[in-house]
C-alpha cells in the first residue's frame, strides 16, 4: 500500500481553518477548500512510486483488479475529498451519464476548448456525489414543495417576488418549479439585483429559517441564485450523516467540514452563486423539476463494524470504521482498489500509522489490516 501526499485546492469559498485543524497544521491565512485523494489528472495524489495516475497507468490490472478494470476501464473511477466550506459553493446540478456523453460529444464537434470558460462538459462521465459531515454541515438539496417555497417567499413581503409566489401556488409541481426557476435566471440582472437586495434585508430581519439565505446573500449580493436557493430544501447534517446528490438534483454546500466522494468527473452546470458561466437553457434541460425529501443518509452497520453509506452508484462505495482501543485488527483486504482516510484518533494499517487527514491507497488484493483507536473512511468501488 502507498501513503498518499495530497493536494489542497485553495478555492475562494474554502475555510481558512478547518483543514489545518484536522491536519494539526498552522493556518496560512489563505482558504483551504478541498483536499483531493485519488487519480484525478488535475491534482493526482503522490506516492513513493510516482503520482497515483502513473502508478495505475503502469499496471492497471494489478492496482485496480481485473473486475474493476473490466467494469470501469483502466482508471480509478472515484475521487475522494475532504471538503471545507467557509462560504457557500455555487448552486449546481450534474448530468446523468447519457446527458454527459451527448453534451461532451456535441461540444467536441463544435470545437469548444475543454478549458473554455463557457464549456459545460469537460468529460463524458456523470458526477454523482456523496457528502458525509465531519462537523455540523449546512447545505441545500432538491426542490421544496412549491407551496412551501411560495410561503417562504411570500413572508418576505417583496413586491417583485409576488408573481413567483402566484406561479408556485397556481401550477402543478413540475410546471411551477420550472417556470419560477426560468424566470429568476432569465430576469433582467439589474431588476433581479434589486429584488435580491430587498429579499436579503427581509431574511436578515426575520432570522430563523431565513438566516441561511441572508448569509448566502451576504456572500453573493444581488445574485439570482439567492432566490433560486429559496426554492430548495435547507439541510443541516450532524456529524456522521450524509447526503447523496444524484443527476439533475440542484444543490449547494453552505458551511462545514465533510468527506466527499464522487465519480471522477468535472461536469457541473451552475444555477447561480458564482461569477462563472451559467448556461440557462442547458441547465433547464438537465434539472429534474420535482419536489423531493433531501434523504439524509445514516450508515448501516455490518457485523464486522463497517458502517456503509448505501447509494445506487457503482463507481464508489463509502463506509467508515469507528475503532475502539485494544480491539483486534480488522481485515480490509478486497479484490478492488481502496483509499483509507483517517479523520480522528490514530490508526494503523500494515506498517503505516495514520493521523487525522492522512490517507493510503491500497491496491486490489493487497493485504490490508486496520486497528485503532480512531475513525477511518474507506472508499472503494462496486463490481
Amino acid at each position: 500500500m502507498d501513503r498518499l501526499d495530497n493536494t489542497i485546492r485553495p478555492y475562494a469559498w474554502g475555510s481558512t481553518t478547518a483543514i489545518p485543524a484536522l491536519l494539526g497544521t498552522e493556518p496560512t491565512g489563505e482558504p483551504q477548500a478541498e483536499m483531493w485523494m485519488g487519480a484525478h489528472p488535475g491534482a493526482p495524489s503522490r506516492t513513493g512510486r510516482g503520482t497515483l495516475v502513473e502508478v495505475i497507468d503502469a499496471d492497471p490490472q494489478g492496482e485496480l483488479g481485473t473486475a474493476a478494470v473490466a467494469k470501469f476501464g483502466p482508471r480509478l473511477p472515484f475521487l475522494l475529498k475532504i471538503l471545507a466550506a467557509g462560504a457557500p459553493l455555487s448552486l449546481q446540478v450534474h448530468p446523468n451519464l447519457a446527458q454527459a456523453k451527448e453534451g461532451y460529444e456535441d461540444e467536441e464537434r463544435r470545437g469548444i476548448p475543454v478549458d473554455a470558460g463557457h464549456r459545460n462538459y469537460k468529460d463524458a462521465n456523470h458526477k454523482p456525489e456523496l457528502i458525509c459531515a465531519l462537523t455540523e454541515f449546512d447545505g441545500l438539496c432538491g426542490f421544496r414543495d412549491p407551496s412551501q417555497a411560495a410561503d417562504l417567499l411570500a413572508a418576505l413581503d417583496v413586491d417583485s417576488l409576488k408573481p413567483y409566489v402566484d406561479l408556485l401556488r397556481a401550477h402543478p409541481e413540475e410546471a411551477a418549479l420550472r417556470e419560477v426557476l426560468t424566470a429568476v435566471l432569465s430576469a433582467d440582472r439589474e431588476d433581479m439585483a434589486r429584488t435580491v437586495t430587498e429579499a436579503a434585508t427581509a431574511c436578515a430581519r426575520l432570522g430563523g429559517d431565513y438566516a441561511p439565505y441572508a448569509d448566502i446573500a451576504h456572500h453573493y449580493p444581488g445574485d439570482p441564485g439567492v432566490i433560486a436557493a429559496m426554492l430548495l430544501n435547507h439541510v443541516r447534517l450532524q456529524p456522521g450523516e450524509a447526503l447523496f446528490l444524484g443527476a439533475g438534483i440542484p444543490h449547494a454546500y453552505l458551511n462545514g467540514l465533510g468527506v466527499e466522494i464522487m465519480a471522477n468527473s468535472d461536469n457541473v452546470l451552475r444555477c447561480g452563486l458564482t461569477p462563472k458561466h451559467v448556461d440557462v437553457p442547458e441547465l433547464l434541460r438537465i434539472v429534474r423539476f420535482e419536489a423531493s425529501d433531501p434523504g439524509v443518509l445514516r450508515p448501516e452497520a455490518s457485523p464486522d463494524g463497517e458502517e456503509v453509506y448505501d447509494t445506487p452508484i457503482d463507481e464508489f462505495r463509502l463506509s467508515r470504521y469507528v475503532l475502539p482501543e485494544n480491539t483486534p485488527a480488522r481485515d480490509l483486504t478486497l479484490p478492488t482498489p481502496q483509499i483509507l482516510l483517517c479523520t480522528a484518533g490514530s490508526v494503523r494499517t500494515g506498517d503505516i500509522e495514520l493521523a487525522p487527514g492522512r490517507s493510503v491507497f491500497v491496491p486490489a488484493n493487497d493485504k490490508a489490516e486496520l486497528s485503532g483507536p480512531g475513525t477511518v473512511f474507506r472508499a472503494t468501488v462496486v463490481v
Side-chain angles (χ1 to χ4, degrees):
M1 70 181 65
D2 299 272
R3 185 188 294 274
L4 297 180
D5 178 17
N6 304 305
T7 297
I8 295 176
R9 310 307 294 261
Y11 305 134
W13 49 261
S15 167
T16 59
T17 58
I19 288 179
L22 180 71
L23 296 175
T25 59
E26 287 296 317
T28 64
E30 299 298 317
Q32 297 187 31
E34 296 180 347
M35 186 169 75
W36 288 18
M37 291 156 280
H40 189 289
S45 298
R46 298 169 295 278
T47 78
R49 298 185 285 157
T51 71
L52 198 52
V53 170
E54 294 167 340
V55 168
I56 291 170
D57 284 349
D59 184 10
Q61 298 278 351
E63 301 295 333
L64 304 176
T66 303
V69 171
K71 189 166 186 175
F72 304 110
R75 62 186 183 87
L76 189 68
F78 65 81
L79 177 63
L80 185 66
K81 300 179 180 180
I82 292 175
L83 183 146
L89 283 67
S90 62
L91 191 61
Q92 58 189 255
V93 297
H94 306 301
N96 63 32
L97 189 55
Q99 291 165 338
K101 289 179 178 178
E102 179 186 348
Y104 179 78
E105 290 169 1
D106 174 64
E107 290 184 326
E108 287 289 281
R109 281 194 302 269
R110 290 191 282 141
I112 301 174
V114 172
D115 59 355
H118 65 288
R119 176 141 181 172
N120 294 314
Y121 298 95
K122 311 294 187 184
D123 52 69
N125 200 16
H126 61 167
K127 192 173 181 280
E129 59 193 43
L130 176 77
I131 183 77
C132 178
L134 295 178
T135 64
E136 275 199 347
F137 193 98
D138 281 75
L140 305 171
C141 179
F143 285 110
R144 298 175 184 269
D145 181 277
S147 63
Q148 294 174 354
D151 292 344
L152 196 73
L153 292 175
L156 299 177
D157 196 26
V158 173
D159 286 344
S160 52
L161 290 177
K162 289 177 180 176
Y164 303 148
V165 172
D166 292 340
L167 284 171
L168 289 167
R169 287 177 172 161
H171 291 276
E173 177 179 290
E174 181 179 352
L177 295 170
R178 180 183 292 276
E179 288 185 35
V180 172
L181 184 62
T182 302
V184 168
L185 298 182
S186 305
D188 178 85
R189 294 290 295 196
E190 290 187 7
D191 290 344
M192 180 52 65
R194 285 191 289 270
T195 295
V196 171
T197 299
E198 286 188 59
T201 301
C203 286
R205 182 185 71 250
L206 292 169
D209 290 344
Y210 292 87
Y213 307 103
D215 184 63
I216 292 170
H218 169 74
H219 289 285
Y220 298 97
D223 193 301
V226 175
I227 305 303
M230 298 187 74
L231 302 176
L232 307 185
N233 297 298
H234 173 249
V235 185
R236 175 163 292 167
L237 300 177
Q238 298 303 312
E241 295 180 335
L243 286 175
F244 173 72
L245 293 314
I249 302 297
H251 62 277
Y253 303 145
L254 303 181
N255 186 271
L257 182 70
V259 173
E260 184 182 37
I261 190 168
M262 62 185 62
N264 216 345
S265 171
D266 291 319
N267 288 326
V268 174
L269 290 149
R270 295 174 179 85
C271 313
L273 311 183
T274 178
K276 295 182 180 179
H277 177 61
V278 177
D279 184 335
V280 175
E282 185 65 10
L283 170 74
L284 297 173
R285 191 176 77 85
I286 298 302
V287 171
R288 288 167 53 186
F289 288 99
E290 57 187 44
S292 61
D293 184 282
V296 174
L297 293 176
R298 295 171 182 85
E300 299 176 8
S302 62
D304 71 348
E306 184 182 25
E307 300 176 343
V308 180
Y309 293 90
D310 187 33
T311 66
I313 294 300
D314 290 346
E315 283 91 340
F316 61 75
R317 176 185 183 272
L318 186 70
S319 62
R320 71 173 183 175
Y321 288 86
V322 181
L323 302 169
E325 196 165 9
N326 300 321
T327 55
R330 304 291 207 285
D331 182 0
L332 270 58
T333 307
L334 287 176
T336 52
Q338 304 179 67
I339 292 178
L340 305 178
L341 164 67
C342 177
T343 58
S346 177
V347 301
R348 178 171 288 277
T349 176
D351 60 356
I352 297 176
E353 192 164 316
L354 296 179
R358 312 302 176 181
S359 55
V360 294
F361 173 72
V362 184
N365 300 305
D366 262 26
K367 181 69 173 177
E369 286 191 337
L370 186 67
S371 57
T375 299
V376 171
F377 282 83
R378 179 198 218 184
T380 186
V381 298
V382 179
V383 295

